[in-house]
Amino acid sequence: MSNKTPRLSRKDFLKLSAATVAGGMMMTSGVGRAMISQSTSSELLMRPIPSSGEMIPAVGLGTAQTFGQPQNDDDFNQRKEVINTLLNEGGTVIDTSPTYSNAEAVVGRALDELGRRDEAWLATKTSISGKQAGIDQNTQSFSDLKTNKFELLQVHNLRDTEAHMETILKLKEEGRVKYAGITHFRESANDPLTDAMLKHPVDFIQCQYNMIDRSVEQRLLPAALEKGVAIMINVPFGRGRLFRATSGKDIPEFAKEFGVDTWGKFFLKYILSHPAVTVAIPGTVHPHHVVDNIGALRGRLPDQGERDRMIKFIENL
Ligand SMILES: NC(=O)c1ccc[n+]([C@@H]2O[C@H](COP(=O)([O-])OP(=O)(O)OC[C@H]3O[C@@H](n4cnc5c(N)ncnc54)[C@H](OP(=O)(O)O)[C@@H]3O)[C@@H](O)[C@H]2O)c1
């Protein structure tokens, strides 16, 4: 399996690492105790949002392919249990969109029935053309997600960015949105996304980054670190392609030294060890996969030498 981009240079990695060590911390889940150190088994890796200093668990949950249109009660209950497990394990971040079929309504109903809205950190999107159409869509999202406030509202895929940023910043002023963001996922959008990040007063950028597509390492991630913008990583498993590529293969011995015992942890720890990354949002409908993904927040992260070995391993598959 080949990669599209050169690796982060050692000089850049050390420079970026120094920046993140200053801000990156481990925190005991639910207790609020912070320290700059390696985590132990009970501690989860938390990352600060640069614009506020708020700490969030560095793995959350995506809902694009997985949460829309549950066919029956069993399907809904399974998704509800995924959210329950995320919160039980110490995760909080849930990313959704009004264009993920009825995922917002499923997330809203699940959080409502669980009585756990206040424990979740909700990110959704404006995903339509036209300023008023965006405002109407936001109104529907508040209703479907059964909440008066989003932690993060993002312009989806750079669609009508100028018009929607005005609305999102107004909602932020009114206290109905805590953070403003913009998303994309295509490599071809990396430059326009970086330019939009530099132009607008955003707190978050969401982009694709995984062991197959590392194109954001070139400009977007260093620029986000420089400006102090949080990075949310979508498609961390290449939509499952990384699992298919490693199916039946043994995890390399060297990765066990930094706590990797599953492929999910291998792929996530690679992403999380980039100092610009704030949170990754893998999608799943399986509670045991949520446990696995949150497990990537325990133990140390790979250093640059280990990151190089991880990439070589994937390239040689
Ligand atoms: N432009 C945008 O804003 C944008 C674009 C794309 C995606 N996103 C966001 O990013 C999220 C993640 O992307 P994605 O869901 O498309 O792809 P992904 O997270 O890269 O991969 C999801 C796949 O990985 C599997 N999986 C998850 N955890 C696993 C584990 N521990 N072990 C084995 N398999 C596991 C899932 O299967 P199971 O269900 O069987 O676990 C699913 O097939 C989306 O849900 C969405 O919220 C945003």
mmCIF file of all heavy atoms in Angstrom, residues 25-47:
data_model
loop_
_atom_site.group_PDB
_atom_site.id
_atom_site.type_symbol
_atom_site.label_atom_id
_atom_site.label_comp_id
_atom_site.label_asym_id
_atom_site.label_seq_id
_atom_site.Cartn_x
_atom_site.Cartn_y
_atom_site.Cartn_z
ATOM 1 N N MET A 25 -1.822 17.535 27.105
ATOM 2 C CA MET A 25 -1.852 17.021 28.478
ATOM 3 C C MET A 25 -2.617 15.720 28.537
ATOM 4 O O MET A 25 -3.382 15.386 27.663
ATOM 5 C CB MET A 25 -2.562 18.020 29.394
ATOM 6 C CG MET A 25 -1.856 19.338 29.532
ATOM 7 S SD MET A 25 -2.795 20.412 30.601
ATOM 8 C CE MET A 25 -1.780 21.873 30.550
ATOM 9 N N MET A 26 -2.399 15.004 29.574
ATOM 10 C CA MET A 26 -3.196 13.838 29.890
ATOM 11 C C MET A 26 -4.128 14.214 31.034
ATOM 12 O O MET A 26 -3.752 14.961 31.923
ATOM 13 C CB MET A 26 -2.313 12.688 30.386
ATOM 14 C CG MET A 26 -1.238 12.281 29.421
ATOM 15 S SD MET A 26 -1.936 11.492 27.985
ATOM 16 C CE MET A 26 -0.436 11.216 27.050
ATOM 17 N N MET A 27 -5.311 13.668 31.012
ATOM 18 C CA MET A 27 -6.237 13.993 32.090
ATOM 19 C C MET A 27 -6.987 12.748 32.514
ATOM 20 O O MET A 27 -7.409 11.966 31.670
ATOM 21 C CB MET A 27 -7.231 15.050 31.597
ATOM 22 C CG MET A 27 -8.159 15.545 32.670
ATOM 23 S SD MET A 27 -9.241 16.808 32.024
ATOM 24 C CE MET A 27 -8.168 18.215 32.063
ATOM 25 N N THR A 28 -7.138 12.578 33.820
ATOM 26 C CA THR A 28 -7.921 11.456 34.306
ATOM 27 C C THR A 28 -9.376 11.703 33.950
ATOM 28 O O THR A 28 -9.925 12.741 34.283
ATOM 29 C CB THR A 28 -7.762 11.310 35.819
ATOM 30 O OG1 THR A 28 -6.378 11.144 36.084
ATOM 31 C CG2 THR A 28 -8.530 10.111 36.326
ATOM 32 N N SER A 29 -9.962 10.765 33.233
ATOM 33 C CA SER A 29 -11.304 10.956 32.716
ATOM 34 C C SER A 29 -12.293 11.327 33.812
ATOM 35 O O SER A 29 -12.370 10.690 34.838
ATOM 36 C CB SER A 29 -11.744 9.653 32.057
ATOM 37 O OG SER A 29 -13.088 9.725 31.726
ATOM 38 N N GLY A 30 -13.054 12.405 33.554
ATOM 39 C CA GLY A 30 -14.134 12.786 34.445
ATOM 40 C C GLY A 30 -13.700 13.444 35.736
ATOM 41 O O GLY A 30 -14.524 13.884 36.519
ATOM 42 N N VAL A 31 -12.413 13.551 35.982
ATOM 43 C CA VAL A 31 -11.951 14.078 37.263
ATOM 44 C C VAL A 31 -11.391 15.489 37.116
ATOM 45 O O VAL A 31 -11.481 16.300 38.022
ATOM 46 C CB VAL A 31 -10.871 13.140 37.868
ATOM 47 C CG1 VAL A 31 -10.328 13.708 39.168
ATOM 48 C CG2 VAL A 31 -11.469 11.769 38.105
ATOM 49 N N GLY A 32 -10.854 15.785 35.935
ATOM 50 C CA GLY A 32 -10.359 17.124 35.711
ATOM 51 C C GLY A 32 -8.937 17.340 36.181
ATOM 52 O O GLY A 32 -8.450 18.454 36.234
ATOM 53 N N ARG A 33 -8.219 16.254 36.498
ATOM 54 C CA ARG A 33 -6.837 16.406 36.951
ATOM 55 C C ARG A 33 -5.926 16.368 35.729
ATOM 56 O O ARG A 33 -5.956 15.438 34.939
ATOM 57 C CB ARG A 33 -6.482 15.240 37.889
ATOM 58 C CG ARG A 33 -5.105 15.320 38.488
ATOM 59 C CD ARG A 33 -4.956 14.255 39.547
ATOM 60 N NE ARG A 33 -5.172 12.911 39.035
ATOM 61 C CZ ARG A 33 -4.207 12.160 38.514
ATOM 62 N NH1 ARG A 33 -2.980 12.617 38.414
ATOM 63 N NH2 ARG A 33 -4.463 10.947 38.097
ATOM 64 N N ALA A 34 -5.146 17.395 35.538
ATOM 65 C CA ALA A 34 -4.313 17.458 34.341
ATOM 66 C C ALA A 34 -2.849 17.393 34.695
ATOM 67 O O ALA A 34 -2.423 17.865 35.726
ATOM 68 C CB ALA A 34 -4.603 18.756 33.592
ATOM 69 N N MET A 35 -2.063 16.765 33.820
ATOM 70 C CA MET A 35 -0.626 16.734 34.027
ATOM 71 C C MET A 35 0.043 16.541 32.680
ATOM 72 O O MET A 35 -0.527 15.955 31.766
ATOM 73 C CB MET A 35 -0.237 15.598 34.968
ATOM 74 C CG MET A 35 -0.472 14.233 34.379
ATOM 75 S SD MET A 35 -0.214 12.940 35.566
ATOM 76 C CE MET A 35 -1.820 12.817 36.273
ATOM 77 N N ILE A 36 1.237 17.049 32.554
ATOM 78 C CA ILE A 36 1.972 16.827 31.325
ATOM 79 C C ILE A 36 2.846 15.610 31.562
ATOM 80 O O ILE A 36 3.836 15.681 32.274
ATOM 81 C CB ILE A 36 2.808 18.055 30.954
ATOM 82 C CG1 ILE A 36 1.874 19.240 30.748
ATOM 83 C CG2 ILE A 36 3.649 17.797 29.725
ATOM 84 C CD1 ILE A 36 2.568 20.553 30.520
ATOM 85 N N SER A 37 2.440 14.461 31.014
ATOM 86 C CA SER A 37 3.158 13.226 31.259
ATOM 87 C C SER A 37 2.618 12.138 30.343
ATOM 88 O O SER A 37 1.710 12.360 29.576
ATOM 89 C CB SER A 37 2.956 12.780 32.708
ATOM 90 O OG SER A 37 1.626 12.337 32.882
ATOM 91 N N GLN A 38 3.169 10.939 30.438
ATOM 92 C CA GLN A 38 2.583 9.791 29.758
ATOM 93 C C GLN A 38 1.340 9.388 30.538
ATOM 94 O O GLN A 38 1.259 9.598 31.739
ATOM 95 C CB GLN A 38 3.575 8.627 29.738
ATOM 96 C CG GLN A 38 4.875 8.943 29.052
ATOM 97 C CD GLN A 38 4.716 9.153 27.544
ATOM 98 O OE1 GLN A 38 3.696 8.793 26.980
ATOM 99 N NE2 GLN A 38 5.707 9.735 26.922
ATOM 100 N N SER A 39 0.381 8.767 29.839
ATOM 101 C CA SER A 39 -0.813 8.350 30.558
ATOM 102 C C SER A 39 -0.614 6.971 31.175
ATOM 103 O O SER A 39 0.158 6.175 30.695
ATOM 104 C CB SER A 39 -2.010 8.308 29.606
ATOM 105 O OG SER A 39 -1.829 7.298 28.657
ATOM 106 N N THR A 40 -1.321 6.711 32.244
ATOM 107 C CA THR A 40 -1.382 5.354 32.779
ATOM 108 C C THR A 40 -2.688 4.756 32.280
ATOM 109 O O THR A 40 -3.437 5.403 31.555
ATOM 110 C CB THR A 40 -1.376 5.365 34.311
ATOM 111 O OG1 THR A 40 -2.588 5.974 34.753
ATOM 112 C CG2 THR A 40 -0.180 6.115 34.861
ATOM 113 N N SER A 41 -2.991 3.515 32.695
ATOM 114 C CA SER A 41 -4.140 2.844 32.098
ATOM 115 C C SER A 41 -5.453 3.570 32.374
ATOM 116 O O SER A 41 -6.395 3.458 31.618
ATOM 117 C CB SER A 41 -4.209 1.416 32.606
ATOM 118 O OG SER A 41 -4.345 1.444 34.001
ATOM 119 N N SER A 42 -5.539 4.339 33.479
ATOM 120 C CA SER A 42 -6.803 4.986 33.787
ATOM 121 C C SER A 42 -6.903 6.395 33.203
ATOM 122 O O SER A 42 -7.942 7.028 33.273
ATOM 123 C CB SER A 42 -6.994 5.065 35.297
ATOM 124 O OG SER A 42 -5.972 5.869 35.835
ATOM 125 N N GLU A 43 -5.819 6.888 32.638
ATOM 126 C CA GLU A 43 -5.825 8.252 32.113
ATOM 127 C C GLU A 43 -6.043 8.244 30.614
ATOM 128 O O GLU A 43 -5.524 7.396 29.908
ATOM 129 C CB GLU A 43 -4.490 8.935 32.420
ATOM 130 C CG GLU A 43 -4.278 9.181 33.895
ATOM 131 C CD GLU A 43 -2.826 9.492 34.220
ATOM 132 O OE1 GLU A 43 -1.961 9.297 33.348
ATOM 133 O OE2 GLU A 43 -2.576 9.920 35.346
ATOM 134 N N LEU A 44 -6.808 9.230 30.156
ATOM 135 C CA LEU A 44 -7.039 9.362 28.720
ATOM 136 C C LEU A 44 -6.286 10.564 28.194
ATOM 137 O O LEU A 44 -6.190 11.592 28.883
ATOM 138 C CB LEU A 44 -8.525 9.556 28.444
ATOM 139 C CG LEU A 44 -9.470 8.430 28.840
ATOM 140 C CD1 LEU A 44 -10.889 8.783 28.390
ATOM 141 C CD2 LEU A 44 -9.051 7.112 28.216
ATOM 142 N N LEU A 45 -5.795 10.441 26.969
ATOM 143 C CA LEU A 45 -5.136 11.579 26.326
ATOM 144 C C LEU A 45 -6.172 12.653 26.029
ATOM 145 O O LEU A 45 -7.164 12.393 25.349
ATOM 146 C CB LEU A 45 -4.482 11.116 25.014
ATOM 147 C CG LEU A 45 -3.882 12.221 24.152
ATOM 148 C CD1 LEU A 45 -2.642 12.826 24.796
ATOM 149 C CD2 LEU A 45 -3.555 11.681 22.760
ATOM 150 N N MET A 46 -5.954 13.837 26.587
ATOM 151 C CA MET A 46 -6.816 14.983 26.326
ATOM 152 C C MET A 46 -5.985 16.001 25.549
ATOM 153 O O MET A 46 -4.782 16.116 25.758
ATOM 154 C CB MET A 46 -7.279 15.635 27.636
ATOM 155 C CG MET A 46 -7.878 14.692 28.660
ATOM 156 S SD MET A 46 -9.566 14.208 28.296
ATOM 157 C CE MET A 46 -10.470 15.686 28.754
ATOM 158 N N ARG A 47 -6.642 16.764 24.696
ATOM 159 C CA ARG A 47 -5.923 17.819 23.967
ATOM 160 C C ARG A 47 -6.638 19.152 24.172
ATOM 161 O O ARG A 47 -7.862 19.208 24.212
ATOM 162 C CB ARG A 47 -5.868 17.484 22.474
ATOM 163 C CG ARG A 47 -4.872 16.372 22.128
ATOM 164 C CD ARG A 47 -3.505 16.963 21.785
ATOM 165 N NE ARG A 47 -2.409 16.018 21.872
ATOM 166 C CZ ARG A 47 -2.031 15.168 20.918
ATOM 167 N NH1 ARG A 47 -2.676 15.131 19.773
ATOM 168 N NH2 ARG A 47 -0.996 14.380 21.097
#
